[in-house]
Amino acid sequence: MTAFTLAAPARFVLEVKKSRFLAQAAPVDSPEHALAYLRDVADAAATHNCWAYRIGQNYRFSDDGEPGGTAGRPILAAIEGQGLDRVMVVVTRWYGGINLGAGGLVRAYGGAAAECLRTAARHELVETTEALLRCDFALSGAVHALLAQTGAQKLDESFDEDGLRLRLRLPATMVAIVSERLRDLSRGAAMLELQDPPTR
């Protein structure tokens, strides 16, 4: 199944019965990154800064003083409803003097988060894997040309007495193709060794 995250930070403003809700969302790759984003965008002068993130199987949310279940969980539901991963959403509320009730809060927080995410630019999360490629010096030009065609990213390059060593990150779907082309190119002399399980 194709997974998506945000291509860039996004924001959306909603006004409900004089309360102002500002939803801000960003792509994140770790819980630490998500909480750093919260520190960056939370407004200490606001009434509440409620939030949620989902990163793979990890998720957390906070109602930040709103009645339990009326803010953080609806924000998380908006992330899941949009089918997004590796996303942090912070919804900041400035109280306007009129109580919204539990149902009103759920609709406001969840609605602001959902609309922010719905209108944001998306980026597909591609499963990648790291690999070590070894080949003779003479093949270096042909190998670099092959990698450029297959979306491989060079992480490290070194040389030893056996030739060229490249540490790569490449789309998991391209591993078999790269291995096959390397074999053809080098008559079986070039080696591609996978270094880790695929990650998104």
Side-chain angles (χ1 to χ4, degrees), residues 20 104 126 169 193:
R20 186 165 165 259
V126 177
R169 180 178 292 123
E193 298 169 24

Side-chain angles (χ1 to χ4, degrees), residues 5 26-31 33-35 37 53-55 85-88:
T5 188
V28 292
D29 51 24
S30 68
H33 188 186
L35 296 176
Y37 179 72
Y53 69 71
R54 173 169 285 290
I55 302 163
D85 190 7
R86 296 191 185 182
V87 171
M88 170 67 157

Side-chain angles (χ1 to χ4, degrees), residues 133-150 164 166 177-191:
L133 189 157
R134 291 190 179 99
C135 71
D136 191 79
F137 291 118
L139 294 170
S140 143
V143 163
H144 280 95
L146 167 64
L147 298 178
Q149 295 163 13
T150 54
L164 177 65
L166 292 172
I177 293 164
V178 171
S179 295
E180 191 180 308
R181 288 196 191 160
L182 271 177
R183 210 169 32 248
D184 295 347
L185 195 68
S186 69
R187 296 186 175 84
M191 299 283 296

Side-chain angles (χ1 to χ4, degrees), residues 102-127:
L105 289 172
V106 168
R107 283 190 296 278
Y109 280 103
E115 193 58 20
C116 178
L117 295 171
R118 189 187 70 74
T119 56
R122 294 173 182 223
H123 168 72
E124 186 178 347
L125 286 168
V126 177
E127 201 173 76

